[in-house]
Amino acid sequence: MNFQNILVTNEQHIATITINRPSKLNALNKATIDELHTAFMEANKDVNVKVIVLTGSGEKAFVAGADISEFADFDAKEGAKLAKRGQELIFDFIENLSTPVIATINGFALGGGLELAMACHFRIASDNAKMGLPEVSLGVIPGYGGTQRLAQLIGKGKAMELIMTAGMISADEAKNSGLVNHVTTLEDLVPTAYKIAGKIMRNSPHAIAAAIKAVNANFKDGVNGYEVEIEEFGNCFGTDDFIEGTSAFLEKRKANF
């Protein structure tokens, strides 16, 4: 499929999705969100794709925020619809994908950009990256899951401070707070993601999908994460991956998933 705002490549079982609006610092607009939804949906359905890497084009920004010009004149009802649609189409959608998604934060990840990175399963940042949720400086709050995921990742107190001050933190500060897993040079950013993806791909795709579902369950209201873990653990026993994994272990060879 031909996209206008993103680039998609597939190589060695890794789909790389690049937000490609460098003149707008890769800001998210409606069209980009729609294209991202399609790209992630297609990558998740592709049996040859084992890991998805998300990044932004250029060296300045992963995603510098949402395209404010699209909603500056919205009323309360339209604003709520905007947030609901975005969460359903891409932010919640990514979080619950069965294919692992790694965000590689190359520069600014602000507002909707940081929310997009936080929706991914984990994050790697370049040492020039800056992250923050500046929405309160515009008279609004994060609407794409930022108030929830930031607190989950770095704790309530730190999240409250970052949101209320509308400030930015460095890549090192983000790593120390648990917001990102690794910090690299800009040149090593995507190669590091691919290296980690290689480690992920040695393991059972079915088990990884089950683990994502079980971990996510702990953060859903009204869901008992332990019960989901028990169910998913049991389901694994009925898969070809389980047969191959246990057979390989007993036969002292590498599993071929």
Side-chain angles (χ1 to χ4, degrees):
M1 181 174 181
N2 292 323
F3 296 110
Q4 300 300 313
N5 300 293
I6 65 174
L7 304 171
V8 181
T9 61
N10 290 278
E11 187 175 351
Q12 296 181 338
H13 303 294
I14 301 172
T16 302
I17 299 174
T18 304
I19 300 166
N20 188 37
R21 302 183 74 212
S23 64
K24 299 290 186 180
L25 293 180
N26 302 323
L28 294 177
N29 60 359
K30 180 179 180 295
T32 303
I33 288 175
D34 288 341
E35 289 186 7
L36 283 170
H37 174 79
T38 299
F40 274 102
M41 181 174 61
E42 290 179 350
N44 195 53
K45 289 180 179 178
D46 189 340
V47 295
N48 292 313
V49 172
K50 307 300 183 185
V51 178
I52 302 170
V53 172
L54 177 64
T55 193
S57 63
E59 299 181 354
K60 293 182 178 180
F62 171 71
V63 172
D67 195 331
I68 297 170
S69 63
E70 285 196 337
F71 57 81
D73 60 347
F74 277 16
D75 60 21
K77 185 176 181 180
E78 290 172 315
K81 184 178 179 180
L82 176 74
K84 181 177 175 63
R85 180 180 183 276
Q87 288 192 28
E88 290 176 349
L89 271 184
I90 194 65
F91 297 86
D92 290 351
F93 187 75
I94 290 174
E95 182 178 70
N96 292 299
L97 281 186
S98 58
T99 306
V101 183
I102 305 171
T104 57
I105 304 172
N106 54 312
F108 290 109
L110 304 175
L114 181 55
E115 290 175 301
L116 182 61
M118 290 192 294
C120 299
H121 297 124
F122 60 92
R123 289 145 293 286
I124 304 169
S126 58
D127 51 18
N128 69 320
K130 298 286 186 182
M131 287 156 262
L133 296 175
E135 284 87 347
V136 297
S137 68
L138 302 173
V140 70
I141 68 169
Y144 289 144
T147 62
Q148 306 304 297
R149 293 190 180 97
L150 186 63
Q152 291 168 3
L153 287 165
I154 71 174
K156 180 180 177 181
K158 288 182 179 179
M160 284 287 197
E161 180 182 358
L162 193 59
I163 290 170
M164 289 191 286
T165 62
M168 290 188 294
I169 59 173
S170 68
D172 286 336
E173 289 173 306
K175 183 176 184 297
N176 290 337
S177 68
L179 183 54
V180 304
N181 294 53
H182 305 278
V183 176
T184 74
T185 63
L186 189 60
E187 293 74 20
D188 289 338
L189 183 61
V190 172
T192 298
Y194 288 173
K195 183 177 179 180
I196 295 173
K199 295 179 180 179
I200 292 172
M201 290 188 292
R202 298 172 191 167
N203 304 309
S204 158
H206 184 278
I208 288 170
I212 290 171
K213 186 175 181 180
V215 172
N216 282 344
N218 184 55
F219 298 98
K220 298 185 184 298
D221 289 339
V223 177
N224 186 318
Y226 292 99
E227 291 181 357
V228 174
E229 181 183 278
I230 290 168
E231 180 181 2
E232 292 301 320
F233 178 78
N235 289 341
C236 288
F237 281 72
T239 67
D240 291 338
D241 281 5
F242 176 75
I243 295 172
E244 169 60 17
T246 53
S247 296
F249 177 82
L250 294 173
E251 294 167 9
K252 295 182 173 57
R253 61 175 174 84
K254 290 184 178 180
N256 182 26
F257 293 115

